[in-house]
Amino acid sequence: MSSELSSAPTPLECTGVRRSFPVGDRKLEVLHGVQMSLAPGERLALMGTSGAGKTTLLNILGLLDRPSEGKVLVEGVDAWSLSPAKRAELRNRRIGFVFQFYHLLPELSALENAILPAMILFKGSEFRRRRSEFETKAREMLVRFGLQDRLGHRPGQLSGGEQQRVAIARALLLDPPILIADEPTGNLDRGTGETVLEILLDEQKERGVSLLLVTHDERLAKRCERVLFMEDGLIQADSSAPIPT
Ligand SMILES: Nc1ncnc2c1ncn2[C@@H]1O[C@H](COP(=O)(O)OP(=O)(O)O)[C@@H](O)[C@H]1O
Ligand SMILES: [Mg+2]
Protein backbone atom coordinates (compact mmCIF):
# COMPACT_ATOMS: atom_id res chain seq x y z
CA MET A 1 0.00 0.00 0.00
CA SER A 2 2.73 2.43 0.92
CA SER A 3 4.53 1.83 -2.39
CA GLU A 4 1.29 2.60 -4.20
CA LEU A 5 0.91 5.81 -2.23
CA SER A 6 4.44 6.92 -2.86
CA SER A 7 4.07 6.32 -6.60
CA ALA A 8 1.25 8.87 -6.85
CA PRO A 9 2.72 11.97 -8.49
CA THR A 10 2.90 15.10 -6.37
CA PRO A 11 -0.14 17.08 -7.52
CA LEU A 12 1.54 20.46 -7.43
CA GLU A 13 5.03 21.70 -6.66
CA CYS A 14 7.33 24.54 -7.49
CA THR A 15 11.04 25.19 -7.19
CA GLY A 16 13.08 28.37 -7.39
CA VAL A 17 10.10 30.51 -8.32
CA ARG A 18 10.93 34.17 -8.75
CA ARG A 19 8.63 36.83 -10.08
CA SER A 20 9.44 40.44 -10.72
CA PHE A 21 7.33 43.20 -12.16
CA PRO A 22 8.54 46.24 -14.05
CA VAL A 23 7.76 49.34 -12.02
CA GLY A 24 8.79 52.49 -13.87
CA ASP A 25 12.33 51.83 -15.03
CA ARG A 26 13.03 49.42 -12.16
CA LYS A 27 12.24 45.81 -11.49
CA LEU A 28 10.36 44.96 -8.32
CA GLU A 29 11.06 41.39 -7.26
CA VAL A 30 8.04 40.02 -5.39
CA LEU A 31 8.95 36.31 -5.14
CA HIS A 32 12.56 35.48 -4.31
CA GLY A 33 12.88 31.76 -5.02
CA VAL A 34 9.91 29.89 -3.63
CA GLN A 35 9.83 26.16 -3.16
CA MET A 36 6.75 24.29 -1.98
CA SER A 37 4.68 21.22 -2.70
CA LEU A 38 1.13 20.06 -2.20
CA ALA A 39 0.60 16.36 -1.37
CA PRO A 40 -2.23 14.18 -2.71
CA GLY A 41 -5.48 14.88 -0.88
CA GLU A 42 -3.80 17.37 1.41
CA ARG A 43 -5.45 20.50 2.83
CA LEU A 44 -2.68 23.11 2.94
CA ALA A 45 -3.09 26.67 4.24
CA LEU A 46 -0.86 29.54 3.13
CA MET A 47 -0.80 32.51 5.47
CA GLY A 48 1.14 35.76 5.59
CA THR A 49 0.75 39.51 5.80
CA SER A 50 -0.81 41.50 3.00
CA GLY A 51 1.71 42.17 0.25
CA ALA A 52 3.84 39.11 1.09
CA GLY A 53 3.31 37.66 -2.41
CA LYS A 54 0.62 35.02 -1.76
CA THR A 55 -1.62 35.95 -4.69
CA THR A 56 1.38 36.27 -6.99
CA LEU A 57 2.44 32.74 -6.01
CA LEU A 58 -1.06 31.28 -6.37
CA ASN A 59 -1.46 32.79 -9.81
CA ILE A 60 1.82 31.16 -10.83
CA LEU A 61 0.89 27.79 -9.30
CA GLY A 62 -2.51 28.04 -10.97
CA LEU A 63 -0.78 28.63 -14.34
CA LEU A 64 -2.39 32.05 -14.70
CA ASP A 65 0.91 33.92 -14.54
CA ARG A 66 4.39 32.92 -15.70
CA PRO A 67 7.27 32.99 -13.21
CA SER A 68 10.32 35.08 -14.14
CA GLU A 69 12.40 32.07 -13.06
CA GLY A 70 11.75 28.61 -11.66
CA LYS A 71 9.53 25.66 -12.34
CA VAL A 72 5.96 24.65 -11.66
CA LEU A 73 5.23 20.93 -11.84
CA VAL A 74 1.61 19.81 -12.15
CA GLU A 75 1.48 16.06 -11.51
CA GLY A 76 5.12 15.96 -12.50
CA VAL A 77 4.66 17.93 -15.75
CA ASP A 78 6.77 21.06 -16.16
CA ALA A 79 3.82 23.31 -16.96
CA TRP A 80 5.65 26.38 -18.24
CA SER A 81 7.61 24.33 -20.78
CA LEU A 82 4.37 23.36 -22.53
CA SER A 83 2.81 25.25 -25.43
CA PRO A 84 0.18 27.79 -24.37
CA ALA A 85 -2.60 25.53 -25.70
CA LYS A 86 -1.33 22.45 -23.83
CA ARG A 87 -0.83 24.50 -20.67
CA ALA A 88 -4.36 25.90 -20.92
CA GLU A 89 -5.72 22.37 -21.26
CA LEU A 90 -3.69 21.16 -18.29
CA ARG A 91 -4.96 24.07 -16.20
CA ASN A 92 -8.54 23.55 -17.25
CA ARG A 93 -8.59 19.81 -16.59
CA ARG A 94 -6.38 19.54 -13.51
CA ILE A 95 -6.72 22.79 -11.52
CA GLY A 96 -9.80 24.46 -10.09
CA PHE A 97 -9.25 28.07 -9.01
CA VAL A 98 -11.41 30.12 -6.63
CA PHE A 99 -10.65 33.86 -6.52
CA GLN A 100 -11.29 36.33 -3.74
CA PHE A 101 -13.44 38.44 -6.07
CA TYR A 102 -15.26 35.53 -7.80
CA HIS A 103 -14.53 36.65 -11.40
CA LEU A 104 -17.82 35.44 -12.85
CA LEU A 105 -18.81 36.60 -16.34
CA PRO A 106 -21.53 39.25 -15.88
CA GLU A 107 -23.56 38.39 -19.00
CA LEU A 108 -23.92 34.73 -18.11
CA SER A 109 -26.36 33.13 -15.68
CA ALA A 110 -25.18 31.24 -12.60
CA LEU A 111 -25.66 27.92 -14.43
CA GLU A 112 -23.84 29.15 -17.55
CA ASN A 113 -20.95 30.46 -15.44
CA ALA A 114 -20.67 27.07 -13.75
CA ILE A 115 -20.40 25.18 -17.07
CA LEU A 116 -17.89 27.63 -18.55
CA PRO A 117 -14.85 25.33 -18.07
CA ALA A 118 -16.56 22.68 -20.24
CA MET A 119 -17.45 25.30 -22.84
CA ILE A 120 -13.79 26.34 -23.01
CA LEU A 121 -12.34 22.83 -22.95
CA PHE A 122 -14.64 21.11 -25.44
CA LYS A 123 -15.65 23.98 -27.73
CA GLY A 124 -17.98 23.63 -30.72
CA SER A 125 -19.75 20.41 -31.52
CA GLU A 126 -18.53 18.27 -28.62
CA PHE A 127 -19.68 20.88 -26.14
CA ARG A 128 -23.08 21.14 -27.84
CA ARG A 129 -23.44 17.37 -27.82
CA ARG A 130 -22.57 17.12 -24.11
CA ARG A 131 -24.08 20.37 -22.89
CA SER A 132 -26.98 18.78 -21.02
CA GLU A 133 -24.57 16.43 -19.21
CA PHE A 134 -22.55 19.42 -17.92
CA GLU A 135 -25.69 21.37 -17.09
CA THR A 136 -26.98 18.46 -15.02
CA LYS A 137 -23.69 18.25 -13.16
CA ALA A 138 -23.52 21.99 -12.54
CA ARG A 139 -27.16 22.13 -11.49
CA GLU A 140 -26.63 19.32 -8.96
CA MET A 141 -23.76 21.23 -7.40
CA LEU A 142 -25.60 24.54 -7.34
CA VAL A 143 -28.61 22.87 -5.72
CA ARG A 144 -26.34 21.21 -3.15
CA PHE A 145 -24.85 24.64 -2.44
CA GLY A 146 -28.34 26.04 -1.78
CA LEU A 147 -28.71 27.97 -5.06
CA GLN A 148 -31.70 26.07 -6.49
CA ASP A 149 -33.64 29.35 -6.88
CA ARG A 150 -30.73 31.26 -8.40
CA LEU A 151 -29.75 29.16 -11.44
CA GLY A 152 -30.91 31.76 -13.98
CA HIS A 153 -29.62 34.81 -12.08
CA ARG A 154 -26.74 36.84 -13.40
CA PRO A 155 -23.83 37.66 -11.07
CA GLY A 156 -25.12 41.23 -10.60
CA GLN A 157 -28.33 39.77 -9.18
CA LEU A 158 -26.47 37.58 -6.66
CA SER A 159 -24.95 38.35 -3.26
CA GLY A 160 -21.21 37.92 -2.74
CA GLY A 161 -21.70 34.60 -0.97
CA GLU A 162 -23.93 33.33 -3.76
CA GLN A 163 -21.41 34.41 -6.40
CA GLN A 164 -18.64 32.59 -4.57
CA ARG A 165 -20.76 29.42 -4.42
CA VAL A 166 -21.20 29.63 -8.21
CA ALA A 167 -17.44 30.12 -8.54
CA ILE A 168 -16.82 26.98 -6.44
CA ALA A 169 -19.15 24.98 -8.69
CA ARG A 170 -17.28 26.33 -11.72
CA ALA A 171 -13.94 25.35 -10.18
CA LEU A 172 -15.16 21.78 -9.54
CA LEU A 173 -17.09 21.19 -12.76
CA LEU A 174 -14.42 19.12 -14.49
CA ASP A 175 -13.46 17.25 -11.29
CA PRO A 176 -9.93 18.64 -11.02
CA PRO A 177 -7.59 16.86 -8.58
CA ILE A 178 -6.15 20.23 -7.47
CA LEU A 179 -8.07 23.13 -6.00
CA ILE A 180 -6.49 26.52 -5.34
CA ALA A 181 -8.40 29.17 -3.39
CA ASP A 182 -7.10 32.70 -2.79
CA GLU A 183 -8.86 34.13 0.29
CA PRO A 184 -12.19 32.72 -0.89
CA THR A 185 -14.06 34.34 2.00
CA GLY A 186 -11.93 37.48 2.22
CA ASN A 187 -14.65 39.64 0.75
CA LEU A 188 -17.57 38.15 2.70
CA ASP A 189 -19.03 38.89 6.12
CA ARG A 190 -18.28 36.33 8.78
CA GLY A 191 -21.51 34.32 8.66
CA THR A 192 -21.60 34.16 4.87
CA GLY A 193 -17.91 33.36 4.78
CA GLU A 194 -18.44 30.40 7.10
CA THR A 195 -21.20 28.97 4.91
CA VAL A 196 -19.01 29.26 1.82
CA LEU A 197 -16.06 27.75 3.64
CA GLU A 198 -18.01 24.73 4.84
CA ILE A 199 -19.08 24.08 1.25
CA LEU A 200 -15.49 24.29 0.07
CA LEU A 201 -14.12 22.05 2.83
CA ASP A 202 -16.95 19.49 2.47
CA GLU A 203 -16.31 19.21 -1.27
CA GLN A 204 -12.58 18.92 -0.69
CA LYS A 205 -13.07 16.08 1.80
CA GLU A 206 -15.70 14.28 -0.26
CA ARG A 207 -13.62 14.40 -3.44
CA GLY A 208 -10.22 13.93 -1.82
CA VAL A 209 -8.79 16.78 -3.90
CA SER A 210 -5.59 18.52 -2.90
CA LEU A 211 -6.42 22.00 -1.62
CA LEU A 212 -4.13 25.00 -1.36
CA LEU A 213 -5.90 27.79 0.47
CA VAL A 214 -4.74 31.31 1.28
CA THR A 215 -6.37 32.56 4.46
CA HIS A 216 -5.94 35.08 7.26
CA ASP A 217 -8.18 33.03 9.55
CA GLU A 218 -6.30 31.14 12.27
CA ARG A 219 -9.30 28.94 13.00
CA LEU A 220 -9.45 27.87 9.39
CA ALA A 221 -5.71 27.25 9.29
CA LYS A 222 -6.16 24.93 12.26
CA ARG A 223 -8.50 22.83 10.16
CA CYS A 224 -5.77 22.32 7.58
CA GLU A 225 -3.17 19.57 7.80
CA ARG A 226 -0.29 21.91 7.22
CA VAL A 227 0.30 25.66 7.29
CA LEU A 228 2.92 27.59 5.35
CA PHE A 229 3.81 31.17 6.20
CA MET A 230 4.94 33.63 3.60
CA GLU A 231 6.87 36.80 4.27
CA ASP A 232 8.52 39.17 1.83
CA GLY A 233 8.29 36.77 -1.08
CA LEU A 234 9.61 33.69 0.69
CA ILE A 235 8.01 30.78 2.52
CA GLN A 236 9.23 31.04 6.09
CA ALA A 237 8.03 28.06 8.04
CA ASP A 238 6.39 24.75 7.45
CA SER A 239 4.34 23.42 10.37
CA SER A 240 5.05 19.85 9.20
CA ALA A 241 8.80 20.35 9.19
CA PRO A 242 10.63 18.20 11.74
CA ILE A 243 11.45 20.05 14.93
CA PRO A 244 15.23 20.57 15.04
CA THR A 245 16.95 18.64 17.84
N1 LIG B 1 1.31 43.34 -11.57
C1 LIG B 1 2.04 43.87 -10.58
N2 LIG B 1 2.88 44.90 -10.81
C2 LIG B 1 3.63 45.43 -9.82
N3 LIG B 1 3.61 45.01 -8.56
C3 LIG B 1 2.80 43.99 -8.25
C4 LIG B 1 1.98 43.35 -9.24
N4 LIG B 1 1.29 42.36 -8.63
C5 LIG B 1 1.65 42.37 -7.34
N5 LIG B 1 2.55 43.35 -7.11
C6 LIG B 1 3.19 43.65 -5.80
O1 LIG B 1 3.67 42.45 -5.27
C7 LIG B 1 3.52 42.43 -3.86
C8 LIG B 1 2.79 41.17 -3.46
O2 LIG B 1 1.46 41.22 -3.91
P1 LIG B 1 0.42 40.02 -3.70
O3 LIG B 1 0.99 38.79 -4.30
O4 LIG B 1 -0.89 40.48 -4.19
O5 LIG B 1 0.43 39.89 -2.11
P2 LIG B 1 -0.59 39.18 -1.10
O6 LIG B 1 -1.54 38.35 -1.91
O7 LIG B 1 0.28 38.35 -0.20
O8 LIG B 1 -1.25 40.27 -0.35
C9 LIG B 1 2.82 43.71 -3.49
O9 LIG B 1 3.76 44.62 -3.03
C10 LIG B 1 2.19 44.17 -4.78
O10 LIG B 1 2.09 45.55 -4.81
MG1 LIG C 1 -3.59 38.36 -2.06
Side-chain angles (χ1 to χ4, degrees), residues 19-23 28-31 48-57 59 182-183 214 216 230:
R19 178 67 165 107
S20 46
F21 298 103
V23 176
L28 172 71
E29 191 172 90
V30 171
L31 300 179
T49 50
S50 179
K54 304 179 298 297
T55 294
T56 305
L57 178 62
N59 288 342
D182 189 2
E183 297 194 51
V214 166
H216 288 294
M230 193 164 203

Short mmCIF file of all heavy atoms in Angstrom, two decimals, residues 19-23 28-31 48-57 59 182-183 214 216 230, ligand 1:
data_model
loop_
_atom_site.label_atom_id
_atom_site.label_comp_id
_atom_site.label_asym_id
_atom_site.label_seq_id
_atom_site.Cartn_x
_atom_site.Cartn_y
_atom_site.Cartn_z
N ARG A 19 9.50 36.03 -9.21
CA ARG A 19 8.63 36.83 -10.08
C ARG A 19 8.93 38.28 -9.82
O ARG A 19 8.88 38.75 -8.68
CB ARG A 19 7.15 36.54 -9.78
CG ARG A 19 6.17 37.36 -10.61
CD ARG A 19 6.23 36.97 -12.08
NE ARG A 19 5.09 37.46 -12.86
CZ ARG A 19 5.18 38.47 -13.73
NH1 ARG A 19 6.32 39.10 -13.91
NH2 ARG A 19 4.12 38.83 -14.43
N SER A 20 9.27 38.99 -10.87
CA SER A 20 9.44 40.44 -10.72
C SER A 20 8.54 41.16 -11.70
O SER A 20 8.15 40.61 -12.74
CB SER A 20 10.90 40.82 -10.90
OG SER A 20 11.44 40.19 -12.02
N PHE A 21 8.20 42.36 -11.33
CA PHE A 21 7.33 43.20 -12.16
C PHE A 21 8.09 44.48 -12.50
O PHE A 21 8.76 45.05 -11.63
CB PHE A 21 6.06 43.59 -11.39
CG PHE A 21 5.19 42.43 -11.00
CD1 PHE A 21 5.18 41.95 -9.71
CD2 PHE A 21 4.38 41.80 -11.95
CE1 PHE A 21 4.36 40.88 -9.34
CE2 PHE A 21 3.57 40.73 -11.60
CZ PHE A 21 3.56 40.27 -10.30
N PRO A 22 7.95 44.94 -13.74
CA PRO A 22 8.54 46.24 -14.05
C PRO A 22 7.73 47.35 -13.38
O PRO A 22 6.51 47.38 -13.47
CB PRO A 22 8.42 46.33 -15.58
CG PRO A 22 7.42 45.31 -15.99
CD PRO A 22 7.25 44.33 -14.87
N VAL A 23 8.42 48.20 -12.66
CA VAL A 23 7.76 49.34 -12.02
C VAL A 23 8.58 50.56 -12.42
O VAL A 23 9.71 50.72 -11.96
CB VAL A 23 7.70 49.19 -10.49
CG1 VAL A 23 7.10 50.43 -9.85
CG2 VAL A 23 6.89 47.96 -10.10
N LEU A 28 10.71 45.29 -9.70
CA LEU A 28 10.36 44.96 -8.32
C LEU A 28 10.25 43.45 -8.20
O LEU A 28 9.39 42.84 -8.83
CB LEU A 28 9.01 45.61 -7.98
CG LEU A 28 8.39 45.21 -6.63
CD1 LEU A 28 9.17 45.82 -5.47
CD2 LEU A 28 6.91 45.62 -6.58
N GLU A 29 11.15 42.84 -7.43
CA GLU A 29 11.06 41.39 -7.26
C GLU A 29 10.15 41.07 -6.08
O GLU A 29 10.42 41.47 -4.95
CB GLU A 29 12.43 40.74 -7.06
CG GLU A 29 12.30 39.22 -7.16
CD GLU A 29 13.61 38.46 -7.18
OE1 GLU A 29 14.09 38.09 -6.11
OE2 GLU A 29 14.13 38.23 -8.30
N VAL A 30 9.07 40.32 -6.38
CA VAL A 30 8.04 40.02 -5.39
C VAL A 30 8.24 38.62 -4.80
O VAL A 30 8.02 38.41 -3.61
CB VAL A 30 6.64 40.16 -6.03
CG1 VAL A 30 5.56 39.65 -5.10
CG2 VAL A 30 6.37 41.62 -6.40
N LEU A 31 8.64 37.66 -5.63
CA LEU A 31 8.95 36.31 -5.14
C LEU A 31 10.43 36.06 -5.34
O LEU A 31 10.97 36.30 -6.42
CB LEU A 31 8.12 35.25 -5.89
CG LEU A 31 6.60 35.38 -5.80
CD1 LEU A 31 5.92 34.28 -6.62
CD2 LEU A 31 6.10 35.32 -4.36
N GLY A 48 0.09 34.75 5.69
CA GLY A 48 1.14 35.76 5.59
C GLY A 48 0.52 37.13 5.46
O GLY A 48 -0.64 37.26 5.05
N THR A 49 1.29 38.15 5.81
CA THR A 49 0.75 39.51 5.80
C THR A 49 0.41 39.93 4.36
O THR A 49 0.90 39.35 3.40
CB THR A 49 1.79 40.50 6.35
OG1 THR A 49 3.03 40.26 5.67
CG2 THR A 49 1.99 40.34 7.84
N SER A 50 -0.42 40.94 4.29
CA SER A 50 -0.81 41.50 3.00
C SER A 50 0.44 42.03 2.29
O SER A 50 1.29 42.66 2.92
CB SER A 50 -1.82 42.61 3.26
OG SER A 50 -2.20 43.17 2.05
N GLY A 51 0.54 41.71 1.01
CA GLY A 51 1.71 42.17 0.25
C GLY A 51 2.88 41.20 0.27
O GLY A 51 3.91 41.45 -0.36
N ALA A 52 2.74 40.07 0.97
CA ALA A 52 3.84 39.11 1.09
C ALA A 52 4.12 38.38 -0.23
O ALA A 52 5.22 37.85 -0.42
CB ALA A 52 3.52 38.09 2.19
N GLY A 53 3.11 38.33 -1.11
CA GLY A 53 3.31 37.66 -2.41
C GLY A 53 2.45 36.42 -2.58
O GLY A 53 2.66 35.65 -3.53
N LYS A 54 1.44 36.23 -1.72
CA LYS A 54 0.62 35.02 -1.76
C LYS A 54 -0.17 34.90 -3.07
O LYS A 54 -0.18 33.86 -3.71
CB LYS A 54 -0.34 34.98 -0.56
CG LYS A 54 0.37 35.09 0.79
CD LYS A 54 -0.61 35.08 1.94
CE LYS A 54 -1.61 36.23 1.96
NZ LYS A 54 -1.00 37.57 2.11
N THR A 55 -0.83 35.99 -3.45
CA THR A 55 -1.62 35.95 -4.69
C THR A 55 -0.71 35.76 -5.90
O THR A 55 -1.03 34.99 -6.81
CB THR A 55 -2.44 37.26 -4.82
OG1 THR A 55 -3.41 37.27 -3.76
CG2 THR A 55 -3.15 37.35 -6.16
N THR A 56 0.43 36.43 -5.89
CA THR A 56 1.38 36.27 -6.99
C THR A 56 1.78 34.80 -7.11
O THR A 56 1.80 34.25 -8.22
CB THR A 56 2.62 37.16 -6.73
OG1 THR A 56 2.18 38.51 -6.54
CG2 THR A 56 3.59 37.10 -7.89
N LEU A 57 2.06 34.16 -5.98
CA LEU A 57 2.44 32.74 -6.01
C LEU A 57 1.28 31.86 -6.48
O LEU A 57 1.48 30.97 -7.31
CB LEU A 57 2.91 32.30 -4.62
CG LEU A 57 3.30 30.82 -4.50
CD1 LEU A 57 4.48 30.48 -5.42
CD2 LEU A 57 3.63 30.43 -3.07
N ASN A 59 -1.22 32.61 -8.37
CA ASN A 59 -1.46 32.79 -9.81
C ASN A 59 -0.43 32.00 -10.64
O ASN A 59 -0.76 31.47 -11.70
CB ASN A 59 -1.42 34.27 -10.19
CG ASN A 59 -2.65 35.01 -9.68
OD1 ASN A 59 -3.67 34.40 -9.34
ND2 ASN A 59 -2.56 36.33 -9.61
N ASP A 182 -7.81 31.52 -3.28
CA ASP A 182 -7.10 32.70 -2.79
C ASP A 182 -8.06 33.53 -1.93
O ASP A 182 -8.88 34.27 -2.47
CB ASP A 182 -6.59 33.51 -3.97
CG ASP A 182 -5.66 34.64 -3.53
OD1 ASP A 182 -5.39 34.77 -2.31
OD2 ASP A 182 -5.20 35.39 -4.41
N GLU A 183 -7.96 33.42 -0.63
CA GLU A 183 -8.86 34.13 0.29
C GLU A 183 -10.31 34.07 -0.18
O GLU A 183 -10.94 35.12 -0.40
CB GLU A 183 -8.42 35.60 0.43
CG GLU A 183 -7.02 35.73 1.02
CD GLU A 183 -6.74 37.17 1.46
OE1 GLU A 183 -7.58 37.71 2.19
OE2 GLU A 183 -5.70 37.71 1.07
N VAL A 214 -5.29 30.14 0.59
CA VAL A 214 -4.74 31.31 1.28
C VAL A 214 -5.80 31.83 2.24
O VAL A 214 -6.96 31.99 1.86
CB VAL A 214 -4.33 32.42 0.29
CG1 VAL A 214 -4.09 33.73 1.04
CG2 VAL A 214 -3.09 32.02 -0.47
N HIS A 216 -6.44 34.32 6.12
CA HIS A 216 -5.94 35.08 7.26
C HIS A 216 -6.54 34.54 8.56
O HIS A 216 -6.27 35.06 9.63
CB HIS A 216 -6.32 36.56 7.13
CG HIS A 216 -5.54 37.27 6.07
ND1 HIS A 216 -4.18 37.47 6.18
CD2 HIS A 216 -5.90 37.78 4.88
CE1 HIS A 216 -3.75 38.10 5.10
NE2 HIS A 216 -4.78 38.29 4.30
N MET A 230 4.17 32.90 4.58
CA MET A 230 4.94 33.63 3.60
C MET A 230 5.24 35.03 4.10
O MET A 230 4.38 35.69 4.70
CB MET A 230 4.13 33.72 2.31
CG MET A 230 4.95 34.17 1.17
SD MET A 230 4.11 33.82 -0.37
CE MET A 230 5.53 33.82 -1.39
N1 LIG B 1 1.31 43.34 -11.57
C1 LIG B 1 2.04 43.87 -10.58
N2 LIG B 1 2.88 44.90 -10.81
C2 LIG B 1 3.63 45.43 -9.82
N3 LIG B 1 3.61 45.01 -8.56
C3 LIG B 1 2.80 43.99 -8.25
C4 LIG B 1 1.98 43.35 -9.24
N4 LIG B 1 1.29 42.36 -8.63
C5 LIG B 1 1.65 42.37 -7.34
N5 LIG B 1 2.55 43.35 -7.11
C6 LIG B 1 3.19 43.65 -5.80
O1 LIG B 1 3.67 42.45 -5.27
C7 LIG B 1 3.52 42.43 -3.86
C8 LIG B 1 2.79 41.17 -3.46
O2 LIG B 1 1.46 41.22 -3.91
P1 LIG B 1 0.42 40.02 -3.70
O3 LIG B 1 0.99 38.79 -4.30
O4 LIG B 1 -0.89 40.48 -4.19
O5 LIG B 1 0.43 39.89 -2.11
P2 LIG B 1 -0.59 39.18 -1.10
O6 LIG B 1 -1.54 38.35 -1.91
O7 LIG B 1 0.28 38.35 -0.20
O8 LIG B 1 -1.25 40.27 -0.35
C9 LIG B 1 2.82 43.71 -3.49
O9 LIG B 1 3.76 44.62 -3.03
C10 LIG B 1 2.19 44.17 -4.78
O10 LIG B 1 2.09 45.55 -4.81
#
